[in-house]
Amino acid sequence: MDIIYIVGILSGILYIIFDFIYDSISYYVILKPIPIWTLSVYCTSRRNYMLAVGLIFGALGDIFLIYEGEFYFQMGLFLFLIGHILYFIYFFNRVNFNKQGFFISLVMFLFALGVSYVIFQNLPTNLLLPVGMYIFVITMMGF
């Protein structure tokens, strides 16, 4: 398992360094998802399969967001959405609800409403539903 840690950390460092030096899509596609994939391998070794698959969807979403255009944006958003739904399911089964958690969730909900209001002001009509769903799922995962 040590090699997984080394690969994940090294690829993350290389990604940060190359981001300052080069402006090339090729290293983004190769280096950016590797730390997440190594984390997914770690989660699989711990039998956290739902979390591992959610991470894979997130890494794929990162790859789609590298490219420009509405199709790539929507696909990236959709892949992140699936990943966050899987995160929500994973964490929901492991949480205990209490008053403090309820208060924090209420603050998060109000913050999400405020952010949504600001974002929706300048968002094209065809993106209102996908972005709204994404904000909703992230907020639910935070709960």
Side-chain angles (χ1 to χ4, degrees):
M1 217 41 174
D2 291 337
I3 190 73
I4 295 296
Y5 301 131
I6 293 169
V7 168
I9 292 169
L10 186 60
S11 63
I13 291 170
L14 287 174
Y15 172 77
I16 292 168
I17 291 170
F18 286 173
D19 192 38
F20 286 109
I21 298 173
Y22 302 107
D23 188 22
S24 171
I25 285 181
S26 59
Y27 83 87
Y28 277 116
V29 173
I30 295 168
L31 289 177
K32 190 169 186 180
I34 291 176
I36 302 303
W37 289 340
T38 57
L39 186 57
S40 180
V41 169
Y42 172 77
C43 289
T44 301
S45 74
R46 304 284 302 204
R47 301 188 193 283
N48 295 328
Y49 303 113
M50 183 89 55
L51 193 55
V53 173
L55 288 165
I56 290 170
F57 273 97
L60 292 172
D62 269 341
I63 291 171
F64 271 90
L65 289 180
I66 290 169
Y67 300 100
E68 292 184 22
E70 188 175 321
F71 169 77
Y72 294 109
F73 177 74
Q74 288 181 350
M75 283 302 297
L77 197 66
F78 176 73
L79 292 166
F80 279 127
L81 177 69
I82 298 299
H84 282 86
I85 289 170
L86 294 172
Y87 299 153
F88 172 76
I89 293 168
Y90 175 81
F91 290 119
F92 186 79
N93 293 323
R94 287 160 180 75
V95 71
N96 293 324
F97 295 100
N98 57 36
K99 288 179 185 179
Q100 181 183 9
F102 176 78
F103 176 73
I104 293 170
S105 295
L106 181 61
V107 170
M108 287 174 43
F109 175 74
L110 294 173
F111 180 76
L113 280 178
V115 168
S116 298
Y117 178 77
V118 171
I119 290 174
F120 285 3
Q121 297 294 317
N122 298 314
L123 201 62
T125 307
N126 62 330
L127 293 179
L128 289 174
L129 181 63
V131 171
M133 288 174 50
Y134 185 69
I135 291 171
F136 174 75
V137 170
I138 289 177
T139 304
M140 292 305 296
M141 185 190 66
F143 287 168

